[in-house]
Amino acid sequence: MGILEEAAGAFAAVEGVKKLDPNAGIITEGVAAIAGFEGTEAITNFIEKKEEEHKDQQG
């Protein structure tokens, strides 16, 4: 997984916060960015793990 995917997750999370609360402060946006960054990493790791398990079961 590259930095581009993680940055996209952070950007999407910040934009989501702005849609929910147009008056969101910088701290709220920062927390959303971190959550989006980490969430993207966690989802990617989960998908990779499931793909490996599937390959192990087949082969």
Side-chain angles (χ1 to χ4, degrees):
M1 179 176 72
I3 189 75
L4 186 59
E5 289 89 2
E6 292 171 341
F11 178 76
V14 170
E15 288 301 310
V17 165
K18 287 181 181 179
K19 296 284 183 186
L20 291 173
D21 183 7
N23 298 321
I26 188 78
I27 294 175
T28 304
E29 291 179 11
V31 169
I34 293 168
F37 186 88
E38 292 294 324
T40 303
E41 183 178 1
I43 290 170
T44 304
N45 289 341
F46 177 77
I47 292 170
E48 289 174 354
K49 180 180 175 185
K50 287 296 181 181
E51 287 175 349
E52 288 176 12
E53 288 175 359
H54 184 62
K55 287 179 184 177
D56 290 343
Q57 289 176 354
Q58 287 181 345

